[in-house]
Amino acid sequence: MVARLSDKNPVIAADALIGEMVPPSMFDEVSFDSYIPDPNEPTQAAAVQAARDFVTRATAIRGGGGKRGLFRKKAAPAQGIGLYLDGGFGVGKTHLLASIYHSMPGPKAFATFGEVTNLVGALGYTDALERLSGHSVLCIDEFELDDPGDTMVVSRLLTELSARGVSIVATSNTLPGQLGEGRFAASDFLREIQKLSGIFESIRVDGPDYRHRDLPPAPEPAAADDLQARAESTPGATLDSFDELSAHLARLHPSKYKSLVDGVSMVCISDVHPAPDQAVALRLVALADRLYDADIPVMTSGAKLDEIFTPEMVAGGYRKKYLRATSRLLALSRFAVSPVD
């Protein structure tokens, strides 16, 4: 009997979320030296230098304060600095972000934007702020503002962390001043968005998506029998229907998606079809991110992976999020082993 993700219901202690704020395992060994800039894209070499400079400055801020006399009050922490790596998909922004993380002294934290908002939801704002305020750096991957509540919470959190001496570096494919555009009444929250923009120095990183550079087209969906056979012959694989998995994701808090796929060697999904609505689509985006972080191959039957998000969805305010998820799912589909003979 093949295991199903739909049968798993992970339970996570709230305080364990802080300990999980580290780069995905695929970025365990990355460094600035291992980032190879595209010679045709000068912004990439400039981004590496900006990231190195950020580490030097942020480390000095965290280690500053000077000597204090016996009765002298402790000096207020220096303001943290911010770096914002903006660019398209697959240009190495996460590689640079993880390199910054590895180069900074601890304690430090690395998380996706969604994981940061999930952390605040799980711990409460005050507890999350206190736990993160002792860190040298907070690295946030795929920074995005999806609703007004996120805008207010993240703006306040990062502003207060920065005031306490925590430096912040983020990656995104939307410039800070444009966060939230097309997703909600951003003009109503312009002050908060501008406050976020003021925290960061923005650096552009251009180039083609390395996930599809010099690679063959993504594989066609498997036949139903082949998918079943692959799942049965692959230790640690799971097999769910698209609708079963979508329904299960709706019952889980997104903070549990990472634990949902822990220990899974391959995810097989049958009867894939376009997402019926935005809620389903956004949960699939969150799952795709966790699968990509864990480097878990994906094999499917039914519709193609680039057809999950409808043209109407891709044309809307979450366009970049859906394109990122599609890019990642296509990359994971290439990682699947050859079909069973």
Side-chain angles (χ1 to χ4, degrees), residues 175-223:
L175 289 170
Q178 298 173 325
L179 289 167
E181 275 190 2
R183 304 181 188 184
F184 54 87
S187 60
D188 295 341
F189 299 88
L190 184 59
R191 181 173 62 84
E192 298 298 328
I193 293 172
Q194 288 176 335
K195 185 187 299 182
L196 282 175
S197 180
I199 294 174
F200 298 107
E201 172 193 1
S202 294
I203 300 294
R204 181 72 186 176
V205 190
D206 290 315
D209 187 341
Y210 79 89
R211 286 187 285 267
H212 307 300
R213 195 180 299 160
D214 300 323
L215 291 175
E220 291 290 321

Side-chain angles (χ1 to χ4, degrees), residues 69-86:
L70 183 61
F71 301 105
R72 188 174 299 173
K73 292 183 179 179
K74 181 179 180 180
Q79 181 86 11
I81 60 173
L83 180 67
Y84 193 97
L85 300 174
D86 173 73

Side-chain angles (χ1 to χ4, degrees), residues 4-9 240-241 244-246 248 251 260:
R4 303 192 316 161
L5 292 178
S6 304
D7 293 331
K8 297 178 65 176
N9 188 14
D240 298 80
S241 75
E244 287 173 338
L245 182 57
S246 298
H248 188 57
R251 294 188 290 268
L260 182 68

